[in-house]
Amino acid sequence: MEDHDDINLGRRNLMAGVALAGVFGTVLASVPASAEDAGVVTGPAPDLSTLPRVKVDLVAPPGVHAHDQIAVGGPKVVEFTLTIEEKPLVIDDLGTTVHAMTFNGSVPGPLMVVHEGDYVELTLINPDTNMLQHNIDFHSATGALGGGGLTLVNPGEQVKLRFKATRPGTFVYHCAPGGPMIPWHVVSGMNGAIMVLPRDGLNDGHGKPLHYDRIFYIGEQDFYIPKDADGNFKTYESAGDAYSDMLEVMKTLTPTHEVFNGAAGALTGENAMTANVGETILVVHSQANRDTRPHLIGGHGDYVWNTGKFRNAPEVDLETWHIPGGAAGAMLYTFLQPGIYAYVNHNLIEAVELGATAHFKVEGEWNDDLMTQVQAPSPIA
Amino acid sequence: MTARPVENLTLADLLLPASLLVGLSIFSLMQMDILSLKPAEAYRGPQTIVVAPHAYEYRLPGDFQMDGVPVNGTLQQAEAGPIEVMLHQVTLADYHECVSRGACDAAEPVIRSARADVPVTGVSFDDAMDYAQWLSERTGDTWRLPTVAEWIFIAGDRAVDHAVDAVTDADNPAERWIATYEQEASRAVPADARPQPSGFFGANDMGVMDIAGNVWEWTATCANRTTLAPDGSTASVVESCGIRYLEGRHLTPMSVFVRDSRSGGCSIGAAPDNLGFRLVREPRSWLRLPF
Ligand SMILES: [Cu+2]
């Protein structure tokens, strides 16, 4: 116990020194990771009553709650609350409606941000207005099916789970109440992501710290909506009424909708994301069920952790990156030109026909050196 | 905002009485078949309205540029009329008659409506031309698509000026893109793209129904790129008649074979909800013009 506290104190001191970030990165890159380096602390937990507690109010995507990129002080217990809401959601402009299952009412659920070594303490509430049993499986957690085995709650119940965030990266969380309920709940919207930042912030894998001015959370969702004999999408009285028909569509593995943040057009037009030339953005992109391949039209992935795990050096200069289904990836980019950028799933059928398109509106000065129209369109000479 | 809340009217509300409506629409189609057995003169086509002569202004459609920089099309002052035009957009029932006689291809609506009194949607420019030809033969009149200028004349107070309210900065083309994007986004009514019964969007100040609702209307006008000389005169025009303009809440160029363009994606602009049309009738003769 004493030893353990000492180690923690040592780590805290080391992490607190921002100037040491580069050195630390080098050490990690050159020395095979021991259990402690990996952050996988076994043995008795420290006395959590001595750790500071922080309560975080979550923000609906694409927003992300305020957070430090470099941890201030030592590990904390970070408290979150997720309230499960079963509710009808319109997912396109044809009024197509799904009986969604959501964490906090949004698809995806909100992004949580903590630092490596912090304790995540989640209160999961299943109000008695819901019909179904739910739980939560954190891909960032260790044991008990990611917490799913300890969090199954009926309508009218709540549960509290604490897990240690031992691995830095972006991770999916989702409902997994067992059997065929698992994919059904996930493709009904019940998923989100958590970002576990390294205590000394992001780096390029070679010791150079990376920083972002804005962060956006995009959750990509595949929906499987049954159609009637005329080919129109069907509407059901309840989630249960839709279940067997939806299962048939799910088993085709062909989504009818592939959208960002719960609906086609949820991140375009008046809801387009905004930034300025010279600003660096971090996009956390999750897909809890199905592979995706994000692409920023007219831009690049400056630094991309396509599988989302920050102890791997990011790839650089990417055109398109692959995020496997059941994972969250992260992409860092500095805007160099003003204009409208489309951020798409570069299966362009999914982007254009099924809805996986978002827009960034970027203001600033045009750089003629990077691009110029030498001759405007004119009759062929 | 992650998703739109459900509105009071759900698809279920529309589907529940579907069987009744299917019955009714079949009945109304049968009535038309009966009508068609009468002499050709008896059927004069869908109901029309005569828009009286008046002065109006409209902006020339096209991609205009000056000094290599995009600019707004020239604003024209004009007088026109009278123009006799369909009171409503061509309906599913109207169009079905042409399809059933083998003169038109089936429409490909995004949503198949249980009722026949909705505008036909999922029709291309080519489909509209086929219908116009069939209706002309059927009635002995000349029916055709309006030009953009005629459509704006007919649209009255529902016409939308597609000029971009932005100073064009030769050094920063992105400013105009952003301005266009914002303008289209602000005009995009966060509404339902489902076709509504004829008359749902009401009459304009000329009495013409459903102008600039959620069904865009094909026009006869070819897409063009016009280069203006420094004095504002036309230096060159390149016309592309494989692309025609649709009018509605905004002006949209579209390839003549496209039946559905709702999807977003890489083309950044707002897309029309549905593609449909209405026709104007050429006067038969002076004497018969009023009716
Ligand atoms: Cu669930």
Side-chain angles (χ1 to χ4, degrees), chain A residues 181-380:
Chain A
M181 291 295 109
I182 300 173
W184 185 46
H185 283 226
V186 170
V187 303
S188 296
M190 214 162 171
N191 60 84
I194 182 168
M195 178 164 72
V196 182
L197 284 166
R199 296 205 76 79
D200 53 352
L202 299 175
N203 71 76
D204 72 348
H206 305 285
K208 181 185 150 198
L210 297 173
H211 169 90
Y212 46 87
D213 301 304
R214 294 170 189 254
I215 177 170
F216 301 96
Y217 172 40
I218 295 177
E220 184 170 342
Q221 182 69 57
D222 43 336
F223 285 116
Y224 302 82
I225 312 299
K227 291 179 176 176
D228 63 19
D230 282 336
N232 293 329
F233 291 118
K234 287 175 81 170
T235 305
Y236 296 85
E237 284 293 304
S238 70
D241 290 339
Y243 173 66
S244 57
D245 283 0
M246 193 187 283
L247 203 59
E248 287 311 305
V249 185
M250 286 161 59
K251 287 193 285 194
T252 66
L253 303 180
T254 306
T256 55
H257 296 72
E258 183 78 22
V259 303
F260 295 149
N261 291 24
L267 298 177
T268 64
E270 307 255 84
N271 303 315
M273 298 171 284
T274 58
N276 295 306
V277 170
E279 284 183 335
T280 300
I281 60 163
L282 185 74
V283 177
V284 176
H285 186 135
S286 67
Q287 218 307 3
N289 193 60
R290 198 166 173 275
D291 294 358
T292 182
R293 49 201 69 71
H295 173 96
L296 180 65
I297 300 177
H300 300 93
D302 283 346
Y303 297 93
V304 179
W305 296 266
N306 63 299
T307 56
K309 306 306 171 276
F310 295 136
R311 271 141 56 87
N312 302 302
E315 283 197 77
V316 298
D317 298 339
L318 297 193
E319 56 179 313
T320 299
W321 43 102
H322 184 261
I323 299 174
M331 173 280 246
L332 194 91
Y333 181 62
T334 303
F335 283 109
L336 303 176
Q337 292 278 39
I340 307 294
Y341 290 75
Y343 177 92
V344 299
N345 174 337
H346 209 285
N347 178 324
L348 295 170
I349 302 163
E350 297 182 19
V352 177
E353 299 294 338
L354 301 191
T357 298
H359 291 157
F360 284 99
K361 192 170 71 183
V362 181
E363 302 198 65
E365 289 303 307
W366 181 261
N367 183 335
D368 256 336
D369 183 42
L370 286 173
M371 183 182 283
T372 194
Q373 185 180 50
V374 178
Q375 182 193 25
S378 41
I380 296 167

Side-chain angles (χ1 to χ4, degrees), chain B residues 121-158:
Chain B
T121 58
V123 283
S124 66
F125 172 85
D126 292 339
D127 294 332
M129 294 296 280
D130 286 346
Y131 180 82
Q133 188 185 342
W134 170 79
L135 187 62
S136 298
E137 286 166 8
R138 177 84 202 280
T139 59
D141 288 320
T142 300
W143 294 86
R144 59 171 179 80
L145 287 171
T147 63
V148 166
E150 287 171 328
W151 190 91
I152 291 167
F153 170 81
I154 292 158
D157 60 355
R158 296 272 181 96

